[in-house]
Amino acid sequence: MRTLVPWAALAATLAAAVPRSVGAQAGHLPRPQVHGFGTWSSGWTSANRYISGEPGGDYRSYAFSVNASTELAGRLRAVAQADVERSELSEADVGLDYAFAEWRTSDAVALRAGQVKHPFGLSTEVFDVGTLRPFVALPQAVYGPIGFVAESYRGAGVTGRRELGRWAVEYDAYAGSIDVPTLHPPAVRQTADSSAPPTVVVDRTPSVLATRNGFGGRLSTHTPLAGLRAGVSAYAGTLRGENGRKDSRHRVVGAHGEYASDRWLARAELVTERAFADVRTNGSYVEAAYRVTRHWQGAVQAGRSRSRLGDEELELPGLAPLLTHEEGAVGVNYWVTSGFVVKTSLHEVRGNRLALPARTTRGTVAGSSLAERTRLLLVGTQFTF
Amino acid sequence: MRRAFFTATRAAALALAAALLALGAVPRTAAAQAGEGYVLIVNRSNPAAALGRAQVAKLFLKQVTRWPTGAPAEVVDLPERSPVRAEFTQAVLGKRMPAMNAYWQQLIFAGREIPPPQRRTSGEVAAFVAAAPGRVGYVAAGTALPAGVKVLKVE
């Protein structure tokens, strides 16, 4: 069913576009558009599995997406995007990024309904578009499977932009369900023997924070300085209790800033999350890139994420690294064209919140059995059309 | 008598030229604004004679989709590799082509907007603009303009 639905939705959008393209050629209707993007990456790590790298190398990470947009009537249009992806979290998987209808009542207000791109921070709406970022992957301290952001929400929302002299404000408000991919932070289990220390249980099975009855928004301000923008994002909803947990609130708040010019790109984001009443996570990163020539670009990145279980710090062997992700990276890119780039980067990671042994799915960690540091060499190509 | 003949002939020629111009038989060309290789054109029904550069940029970036009169605006581009487009994009939109491409990639894949349609040559752009009210485009300076368009000054 998961395989059929996204391709059916994409096929329906394209099928609606085909007769309209005939009409478009007759000059009656706008021409529908089809675009896409793809990525392939390969990585080698010194220990653990991280992004698309593992000890000995991994050459199998790829993704390809097709985007179709067509005007249905006047200010009403439909958009859909489907992808096929293989990553460190899943085998080849076909999915629907989004499929929604938009009715633009004016330049300032557009109504959307369906499976819509999740408007949070700088990059959720272009999550897999590699030509819009300086590294192969987005900063994992915020955009990794931490539990902060999703690629889409199912529901309805309003979006728009207002010009205020030399300033401009873009806004989004939405309601619905939001499925946030995550690798759960480790759980601490007290054994029956109360004299024995609690054990730390690691579960690396890809999971989803299914946030229901959610609502959220984003506000971004474009300043008079061309390329400089900043804003805030937030959403909240209910997480259904599982494994004995009660229903709880899921709240995420973030701030973002970006400066982009022909040569420079600088970004920073800060996010804080509370889930399951006793898990708090903060994440942040800074990133900068500079076009040395028309083709060559250098980039640097630093990020950090830290989770906290409960209200008090738990001093347990092996726990702290499982709650921490600290990363520094440098990269060099060669832009063949603005739509095709070859990237290479070196990442230094401390902590095992996201970097874990490749074979780890679920198990008990005792002491310092994990390699706390991971070095990753990543090579990739990314394109758009 | 010979002088009178030449004077009369010259006057007739001038009158004929004026008549042909009025009928559009003599092609008009897009005269560039000082120092620029492009000219902004709009459909002849558009009442505007000039527009601020910032306003023109918002139209071509699809940040606004209506003219100050409230009428819908429809923009058209030249191909990505066109030097005229590169000059217009730098001078009016304030971006080089790679940054312009990134701008449209962001909007396309966020599902927010699609780029304007493209026409291969300045002549095709001019024909497109002439075909419907509200349309606006830019052409290479010196392009022969059809009767259905007029030049819009960028202030």
Side-chain angles (χ1 to χ4, degrees):
Chain A
M1 186 65 171
R2 173 164 171 72
T3 304
L4 284 176
V5 166
W7 289 114
L10 180 59
T13 302
L14 289 173
V18 167
R20 287 185 177 275
S21 69
V22 174
Q25 292 168 6
H28 300 302
L29 295 167
R31 186 186 297 274
Q33 295 200 10
V34 177
H35 297 271
F37 54 90
T39 187
W40 171 85
S41 63
S42 180
W44 298 263
T45 61
S46 58
N48 300 316
R49 181 170 182 83
Y50 181 60
I51 303 183
S52 53
E54 65 179 23
D58 182 357
Y59 309 87
R60 298 167 295 172
S61 289
Y62 61 83
F64 179 74
S65 299
V66 175
N67 173 294
S69 174
T70 186
E71 190 172 299
L72 299 174
R75 287 174 166 254
L76 180 65
R77 68 190 189 99
V79 190
Q81 182 169 298
D83 73 338
V84 57
E85 178 181 0
R86 189 197 177 280
S87 69
E88 77 277 16
L89 295 179
S90 65
E91 293 299 319
D93 188 28
V94 178
L96 182 68
D97 280 349
Y98 57 80
F100 64 91
E102 177 183 275
W103 177 41
R104 182 172 290 182
T105 64
S106 69
D107 289 336
V109 179
L111 305 176
R112 299 173 148 190
Q115 182 167 327
V116 188
K117 274 296 189 181
H118 184 211
F120 190 100
L122 292 170
S123 300
T124 52
E125 294 178 301
V126 289
F127 207 93
D128 296 314
V129 187
T131 53
L132 292 177
R133 56 184 182 243
F135 288 89
V136 170
L138 287 168
Q140 296 296 287
V142 168
Y143 292 97
I146 297 277
F148 290 155
V149 297
E151 290 196 51
S152 62
Y153 70 90
R154 292 190 181 91
V158 60
T159 184
R161 177 186 172 107
R162 285 198 69 93
E163 306 292 324
L164 301 172
R166 296 181 63 203
W167 296 71
V169 173
E170 292 179 343
Y171 65 92
D172 292 89
Y174 54 92
S177 63
I178 309 164
D179 291 339
V180 185
T182 188
L183 290 173
H184 286 302
V188 178
R189 300 275 186 263
Q190 183 63 53
T191 63
D193 182 0
S194 60
S195 64
T199 57
V200 176
V201 180
V202 177
D203 185 355
R204 192 181 155 78
T205 305
S207 184
V208 167
L209 291 174
T211 305
R212 299 292 175 257
N213 301 319
F215 59 93
R218 180 180 64 183
L219 193 66
S220 285
T221 302
H222 293 255
T223 70
L225 177 62
L228 180 64
R229 59 170 171 153
V232 293
S233 312
Y235 72 89
T238 301
L239 289 174
R240 192 170 301 132
E242 54 187 29
N243 298 327
R245 289 174 180 262
K246 296 181 181 178
D247 288 358
S248 63
R249 296 296 289 171
H250 185 206
R251 292 189 291 266
V252 184
V253 178
H256 62 267
E258 177 187 77
Y259 174 71
S261 69
D262 288 333
R263 286 191 179 273
W264 281 102
L265 175 67
R267 293 172 171 161
E269 292 192 71
L270 173 68
V271 182
T272 183
E273 178 219 22
R274 182 147 189 169
F276 296 117
D278 59 353
V279 179
R280 298 177 191 176
T281 305
N282 296 321
S284 61
Y285 77 89
V286 292
E287 182 176 74
Y290 179 71
R291 285 270 186 131
V292 181
T293 68
R294 182 178 153 206
H295 293 289
W296 290 98
Q297 180 186 47
V300 294
Q301 182 190 105
R304 184 174 191 270
S305 174
R306 182 86 162 79
S307 295
R308 181 169 169 158
L309 306 178
D311 292 325
E312 298 176 0
E313 287 285 352
L314 297 175
E315 295 293 333
L316 292 173
L319 178 61
L322 290 167
L323 298 174
T324 303
H325 175 81
E326 295 177 345
E327 180 176 2
V330 294
V332 176
N333 304 324
Y334 183 79
W335 292 84
V336 180
T337 69
S338 59
F340 182 63
V341 59
V342 180
K343 298 179 179 176
T344 181
S345 57
L346 185 64
H347 303 247
E348 189 79 26
V349 176
R350 191 175 80 86
N352 300 112
R353 179 71 174 84
L354 299 176
L356 283 168
R359 297 287 181 260
T360 300
T361 52
R362 184 178 177 89
T364 301
V365 175
S368 57
S369 61
L370 298 178
E372 194 175 320
R373 291 186 181 271
T374 305
R375 182 168 290 173
L376 166 69
L377 174 64
L378 197 58
V379 177
T381 62
Q382 294 171 315
F383 64 90
T384 56
F385 62 89
Chain B
M1 181 136 176
R2 182 185 285 179
R3 179 182 291 176
F5 174 78
F6 282 129
T7 301
T9 305
R10 192 181 306 156
L14 287 172
L16 178 62
L20 288 173
L21 270 172
L23 292 171
V26 176
R28 300 172 299 131
T29 59
Q33 293 192 220
E36 295 160 347
Y38 62 87
V39 174
L40 195 68
I41 58 172
V42 294
N43 186 273
R44 184 163 286 279
S45 65
N46 194 316
L51 205 60
R53 188 177 73 85
Q55 192 65 21
V56 174
K58 289 176 183 176
L59 284 172
F60 277 85
L61 294 173
K62 291 187 134 182
Q63 292 170 354
V64 296
T65 59
R66 291 186 175 269
W67 294 97
T69 58
E74 192 176 351
V75 303
V76 59
D77 255 323
L78 282 169
E80 190 177 316
R81 292 180 178 273
S82 164
V84 177
R85 178 172 176 177
E87 182 181 352
F88 174 82
T89 301
Q90 176 83 64
V92 178
L93 309 188
K95 298 178 187 290
R96 294 184 189 272
M97 285 309 299
M100 194 71 250
N101 291 334
Y103 174 84
W104 286 119
Q105 288 174 19
Q106 176 83 30
L107 293 182
I108 289 168
F109 298 116
R112 292 186 172 273
E113 193 52 88
I114 56 177
Q118 296 179 8
R119 292 296 180 268
R120 289 178 301 172
T121 66
S122 291
E124 291 183 20
V125 168
F128 180 87
V129 172
R135 289 182 174 175
V136 57
Y138 54 90
V139 297
T143 299
L145 298 179
V149 306
K150 66 177 184 180
V151 174
L152 185 69
K153 186 179 176 184
V154 180
E155 296 176 332

